[in-house]
Amino acid sequence: MKKYLIDVNIADDHKLVCEGLTDLINQSGMAHVSHTFTTLESCRQAFEQRRPDVLLLDLSMPDGDGITFCHQIIQDYPRVKVIALTIHDEYSMIQRMMDCGAHGYVLKSSSIEELIEAINSVWQGQQYVSPLVTDILHEGQARSVVLTEVEKNILRLICDGLTNPQIAVQLGLSTETVNWYRKRLLAKFEVKNSVGLVRKVLEQKLL
């Protein structure tokens, strides 16, 4: 009886990466790459006709955000397992990808053996996160700042350059209340002023 090979697609804008991964995955004897895509749109169009078992998805694509695309694919085609295969090792990126329903997260620095293990694991209905990624998540959760909805809204407006009175009008709060929240945010992020606050938000990609 012929062994079933896991059908894999790859979405990555680097052709050499697609070609190299295709050869290595096909040599594993466990999975087979049937299609590769260098844009999200070409991947989306192909999925209208035929879906793979597993999609290896880069997060930085020329025509869109891989995280948003992952969410759409999982909603539209729930049987497709999506694994992020990326260089992004930032806590915020990993957390956002997992929050949108990704079945796995593997860094491009990982070995082909680990990638094959990830493909096999998600195909069998398990979630796979690289050990290094797991460490990043644990470390990030330990030092991440927890914000209330009001704090998130105020932080977003601070990043847009609004003053305390302008924020107060936008959110229907008093200027004194907004000033209190601004001081609270500075303390939470351990910065001295709004410039440092915005820099921290951008570095951690919180908004």
Side-chain angles (χ1 to χ4, degrees):
M1 184 176 179
K2 186 177 178 180
K3 179 182 177 182
Y4 178 79
L5 297 180
I6 304 168
D7 184 16
V8 177
N9 283 185
I10 303 172
D12 192 300
D13 62 329
H14 294 92
K15 289 186 178 180
L16 286 176
V17 171
C18 289
E19 292 172 1
L21 285 174
T22 296
D23 289 341
L24 292 170
I25 291 171
N26 289 349
Q27 290 170 17
S28 71
M30 182 177 292
H32 173 78
V33 177
S34 58
H35 292 88
T36 63
F37 311 97
T38 54
T39 64
L40 296 178
E41 183 56 32
S42 60
C43 182
R44 183 182 291 108
Q45 291 178 5
F47 273 35
E48 292 177 1
Q49 304 300 321
R50 182 179 181 279
R51 272 79 62 190
D53 298 313
V54 177
L55 172 65
L56 302 181
L57 176 64
D58 191 5
L59 302 189
S60 299
M61 296 291 282
D63 61 337
D65 170 19
I67 296 177
T68 301
F69 185 74
C70 171
H71 182 67
Q72 293 171 345
I73 290 298
I74 289 172
Q75 277 195 323
D76 295 342
Y77 310 109
R79 291 189 177 182
V80 177
K81 309 298 183 183
V82 181
I83 298 175
L85 183 61
T86 177
I87 62 171
H88 290 289
D89 60 358
E90 305 95 339
Y91 167 77
S92 58
M93 291 286 282
I94 299 170
Q95 191 61 60
R96 284 174 58 206
M97 190 64 175
M98 302 313 292
D99 285 346
C100 82
H103 304 89
Y105 202 106
V106 179
L107 298 177
K108 285 186 175 179
S109 57
S110 303
S111 66
I112 186 61
E113 290 79 13
E114 182 175 352
L115 180 57
I116 296 299
E117 181 183 353
I119 292 171
N120 189 44
S121 294
V122 300
W123 180 62
Q124 293 184 21
Q126 304 166 17
Q127 188 179 68
Y128 185 92
V129 179
S130 294
L132 179 57
V133 174
T134 300
D135 291 342
I136 294 170
L137 284 172
H138 287 163
E139 181 182 343
Q141 287 165 354
R143 58 182 171 80
S144 61
V145 176
V146 179
L147 301 174
T148 66
E149 280 304 310
V150 175
E151 288 171 336
K152 287 179 184 177
N153 291 333
I154 290 177
L155 185 57
R156 197 170 286 114
L157 294 175
I158 290 173
C159 291
D160 287 341
L162 273 66
T163 63
N164 284 358
Q166 290 171 326
I167 294 172
V169 172
Q170 282 271 88
L171 300 181
L173 302 171
S174 68
T175 302
E176 291 76 16
T177 299
V178 174
N179 185 49
W180 181 84
Y181 271 112
R182 186 184 287 260
K183 289 180 180 179
R184 182 177 171 85
L185 286 167
L186 293 178
K188 279 192 172 186
F189 283 93
E190 298 179 343
V191 293
K192 294 181 179 179
N193 52 45
S194 297
V195 174
L197 181 61
V198 172
R199 185 181 297 116
K200 272 281 186 76
V201 171
L202 292 176
E203 285 175 354
Q204 298 181 23
K205 297 178 179 167
L206 294 175
L207 298 178

